[in-house]
Amino acid sequence: MKNDADMKTYALIGNPVTKSSSPFIHNYVFDFLDQNKTYIAHNVAKANLANSIKGIKALGYGGINVTIPYKIDVIEYLNDLDASAKKIGAVNTIKIVDGKLIGYNTDGIGFLDMLEENEVRLRGKKVLILGAGGAARAVAITLASSQISHLSIRNRTYEKADLLIEELIQANKDVVFTNASKRQNLREFDIVVNATAAGMFPHVEEVPIDLALTNENAILCDIVYKPHLTKFLKLGIEKGHKVIYGIEMLIAQALASQEIWQDIKIDKVAIKRNLLEKIELEL
Ligand code: NAP
């Protein structure tokens, strides 16, 4: 990194983003690729969202990530959405092309990349998603077009799971979609994904589901990445489950953003392996 006037800036906008791991990941990628680019995090108040986007455009930033709570609010300031953002209805990545802002969503592809890297096959699988918020929605809509046979949503607020299920049923008739919010026998599921905020720092003692309900052969994925070893995964390991950590999705969605911004294919396996060694020290 030369850190001169030619240096291209990329950024994350959201609130709060002070503890985000995204600057570490993206700056690592720029260093790995030996590029004169940098990535910073901006805490943006809601009243400043429109002006922040204008400023980012005026200053010639290379690209932006968007996180909670602006993944939907930001859409009105964009010139276009690609298919991923249209399908999910939210944006986590903005590419700036000739002064035009194009919105993408890499959460779903990041989730799929994470499964693929862990050699999880989806054909015919029954998947349970815990949560019906923004991240659960991205994961559910993406999984709905995969080769799974059954997708269930279980959420603290039952009605929100119902709304998401209705939408999924409209999108794909080949998968069985159900609301598992009130069910107590969850042993049929092959993959259980925590897409709730339960267990996320500082609520580290929260567990999104009683693990007595799950089949020990199920793969548990937690998309919460702070802490690295959530209580959900810790209890799962103790019960004998194979587990996948949230940091893997965070890295995968970040690398997908990089490929969109830079229009390149990057060596994801090498970068991820190095990043995982480094980033765990940061947590
Ligand atoms: P969100 O839109 O606010 O949704 C939160 C979800 O969590 C809702 O379903 C909510 O249920 C549920 N929830 C919250 N607290 C709970 C608790 N104590 N017990 C049970 N359920 C609870 O948030 P989001 O954007 O979906 O993010 C969810 C999590 O995913 C966050 O921890 C975020 O950091 C993580 N995430 C990770 C990645 C990654 O790349 N690894 C990407 C995106 C998000 P109700 O509907 O009942 O309120």
Side-chain angles (χ1 to χ4, degrees):
M1 184 170 87
K2 284 195 279 178
N3 201 5
D4 54 20
D6 291 332
M7 188 172 66
K8 200 79 176 161
T9 302
Y10 293 74
L12 170 68
I13 58 168
N15 197 356
V17 292
T18 325
K19 288 188 175 291
S20 170
S21 300
S22 293
F24 183 88
I25 296 173
H26 288 285
N27 285 315
Y28 183 86
V29 175
F30 294 141
D31 284 350
F32 187 91
L33 299 174
D34 198 20
Q35 294 177 325
N36 188 23
K37 296 177 175 173
T38 192
Y39 185 105
I40 51 179
H42 291 302
N43 255 322
V44 173
K46 193 166 172 58
N48 293 331
L49 182 60
N51 280 338
S52 299
I53 301 287
K54 275 189 203 155
I56 279 165
K57 202 165 142 179
L59 291 169
Y61 278 30
I64 314 169
N65 282 134
V66 183
T67 190
I68 297 171
Y70 302 129
K71 288 184 182 181
I72 295 171
D73 294 0
V74 79
I75 290 175
E76 65 176 292
Y77 307 111
L78 306 183
N79 299 98
D80 206 353
L81 298 179
D82 102 313
S84 61
K86 277 187 193 151
K87 210 161 115 179
I88 294 169
V91 163
N92 79 334
T93 302
I94 301 172
K95 182 171 181 168
I96 305 169
V97 187
D98 300 331
K100 297 251 185 301
L101 304 175
I102 322 289
Y104 297 75
N105 194 306
T106 64
D107 282 334
I109 188 78
F111 181 78
L112 287 186
D113 282 355
M114 173 191 79
L115 292 184
E116 196 182 321
E117 284 156 19
N118 283 279
E119 296 179 348
V120 177
R121 306 279 169 255
L122 289 172
R123 181 185 289 274
K125 293 282 163 47
K126 296 183 173 184
V127 183
L128 174 65
I129 297 178
L130 310 173
R137 188 185 153 75
V139 170
I141 289 177
T142 307
L143 279 176
S145 339
S146 74
Q147 293 176 315
I148 59 166
S149 63
H150 184 156
L151 176 59
S152 250
I153 308 284
R154 183 178 169 98
N155 194 48
R156 183 175 62 176
T157 311
Y158 180 90
E159 298 76 13
K160 269 170 72 179
D162 256 353
L163 288 175
L164 182 51
I165 291 292
E166 273 170 35
E167 208 181 314
L168 293 166
I169 290 171
Q170 296 309 317
N172 189 343
K173 307 284 179 210
D174 296 331
V175 177
V176 176
F177 298 103
T178 54
N179 185 342
S181 304
K182 291 181 180 166
R183 274 184 48 195
Q184 289 306 307
N185 183 359
L186 303 171
R187 290 187 62 79
E188 72 189 272
F189 292 101
D190 305 299
I191 302 170
V192 180
V193 183
N194 176 34
T196 74
M200 185 172 74
F201 182 83
H203 308 289
V204 295
E205 285 304 316
E206 289 178 2
V207 184
I209 191 175
D210 178 356
L211 282 167
L213 304 177
T214 59
N215 184 327
E216 53 284 359
N217 294 321
I219 297 169
L220 304 187
C221 311
D222 201 334
I223 75 161
V224 170
Y225 57 90
K226 281 205 172 170
H228 179 60
L229 180 62
T230 57
K231 192 161 181 189
F232 172 61
L233 293 188
K234 185 170 181 288
L235 293 174
I237 292 168
E238 284 167 13
K239 195 181 154 192
H241 285 277
K242 174 183 162 70
V243 304
I244 303 178
Y245 296 89
I247 192 69
E248 296 201 39
M249 174 171 159
L250 188 76
I251 293 174
Q253 60 80 32
L255 298 183
S257 295
Q258 285 280 351
E259 290 192 331
I260 289 167
W261 292 328
Q262 305 215 49
D263 228 346
I264 53 170
K265 279 275 166 223
I266 52 182
D267 184 350
K268 291 183 185 171
V269 176
I271 292 183
K272 188 184 150 199
R273 191 175 49 236
N274 290 333
L275 255 170
L276 276 174
E277 280 171 17
K278 302 251 174 355
I279 207 165
E280 279 179 43
L281 302 173
E282 300 268 307
L283 296 175

